[in-house]
Amino acid sequence: GLINNPEFKVVGVKSSAHRQIHMRVDSPQFKDKRVRQALALSLDREVIVKGLFKGRAQVGNDSPFAPVFPSSDAGVPQRKIDVAKAKQLLAQAGVPNGFDVSLTTEKYMEIPDLAVVVQNYAKAVGIRINLKVESQSQYYGSGTPGKSDWLDSPLGITDYGSRGVPNVFLSAPLTSSGTWNAAHFKNPQYDKLVADYVGALDIGAQKKVSAQIQTLLLDETPVIFPFFYDQLIAARKQLNGVRFTAIAQLYFDRATLAA
């Protein structure tokens, strides 16, 4: 509504805020990485960015390395929609006719709409998704395994706010001992790469490790990162000079009101 209101202007900054579509690697449906790759290949990320965010987002490549991070390696090939390849992978994984699965998620911002989009894209490759959209309190539960639909569901969508560096995104949802590891992903090689990344002393060294992490996650695909959306603020047309960051810090020291 504010975007289309002539009395306001909406401005944005690039951020690392995103949604994670986790697939439990220890579940019958997603134990084969080819099935996880197939679901990732079913999504048209460009269309999602245009449709859900009016272009105010950047396409994701199934790792936490958002374009906004200086350590992200842009040379890693971008995953794009490929329905034929997805169907081929499902056949190779022994499910040529697809399968049924429930996707559990939360009522928050655009996430219910995203869930429907994922459901429709998945249908085209033979993955039949039943949606279970809950309140946030139901979805997160106690936030511990066995007592959380977030951490226990075979397939889910979770909101992640922006961070200034990718360290939390790399560790909590994806390392073997990560407290937010909804995908139940356990990969010693990945754990070592994250430790190497955190221990790197400059951007150049980080970028070398990030390329390896991005490549590994594209292969394993425990989590789909479809996009990273811009942080937006709305202001009256007359207000100028307000600065802000992707973690909701507002600076009014240079603000002026036009006559």
Side-chain angles (χ1 to χ4, degrees):
L2 289 174
I3 288 175
N4 297 319
N5 189 325
E7 294 184 12
F8 290 87
K9 56 185 174 184
V10 175
V11 292
V13 293
K14 305 305 180 189
S15 87
S16 61
H18 62 277
R19 309 303 181 214
Q20 292 188 16
I21 306 173
H22 71 260
M23 295 165 283
R24 273 187 61 169
V25 301
D26 59 352
S27 69
Q29 300 97 327
F30 295 112
K31 63 183 178 181
D32 192 314
K33 69 180 180 182
R34 292 171 294 189
V35 175
R36 305 193 295 269
Q37 292 169 359
L39 182 55
L41 287 167
S42 75
L43 304 181
D44 192 328
R45 297 147 199 262
E46 296 284 354
V47 169
I48 291 173
V49 163
K50 291 175 184 176
L52 286 182
F53 294 96
K54 294 185 181 293
R56 295 174 182 263
Q58 290 74 56
V59 168
N61 201 26
D62 299 339
S63 87
F65 284 100
V68 74
F69 292 136
S71 59
S72 298
D73 191 323
V76 176
Q78 172 65 49
R79 175 170 274 161
K80 297 182 178 180
I81 183 172
D82 191 333
V83 172
K85 179 66 173 178
K87 290 181 176 179
Q88 180 185 34
L89 287 168
L90 289 176
Q92 291 172 354
V95 283
N97 299 318
F99 59 92
D100 297 278
V101 66
S102 289
L103 186 159
T104 307
T105 191
E106 53 183 309
K107 294 177 183 175
Y108 180 66
M109 293 177 64
E110 89 301 334
I111 292 180
D113 293 325
L114 174 60
V116 173
V117 170
V118 172
Q119 181 187 45
N120 289 334
Y121 277 130
K123 190 186 304 180
V125 303
I127 301 175
R128 298 172 294 278
I129 294 177
N130 174 59
L131 297 182
K132 184 180 180 184
V133 183
E134 306 176 326
S135 67
Q136 286 192 297
S137 61
Q138 286 177 304
Y139 181 65
Y140 287 106
S142 67
T144 56
K147 297 180 180 180
S148 170
D149 289 350
W150 162 40
L151 299 176
D152 299 334
S153 57
L155 177 64
I157 304 177
T158 308
D159 68 288
Y160 277 80
S162 188
R163 303 293 199 283
V165 293
N167 298 32
V168 169
F169 302 147
L170 289 168
S171 57
L174 287 164
T175 54
S176 298
S177 59
T179 52
W180 301 341
N181 192 340
H184 295 215
F185 182 59
K186 298 182 187 300
N187 185 298
Q189 181 185 358
Y190 175 82
D191 294 345
K192 182 182 183 305
L193 286 171
V194 170
D196 291 344
Y197 176 86
V198 173
L201 298 179
D202 57 64
I203 296 295
Q206 287 181 336
K207 187 169 286 191
K208 289 180 181 178
V209 183
S210 81
Q212 298 177 65
I213 293 175
Q214 291 174 72
T215 301
L216 185 152
L217 289 177
L218 275 172
D219 179 52
E220 291 289 341
T221 318
V223 175
I224 297 170
F225 292 73
F227 51 74
F228 297 89
Y229 63 89
D230 298 354
Q231 180 74 26
L232 306 179
I233 64 166
R236 292 282 183 182
K237 283 283 189 183
Q238 299 90 334
L239 182 62
N240 298 307
V242 174
R243 296 173 296 133
F244 65 101
T245 72
I247 56 173
Q249 295 164 315
L250 285 165
Y251 297 93
F252 295 96
D253 55 312
R254 300 178 189 173
T256 59
L257 270 178

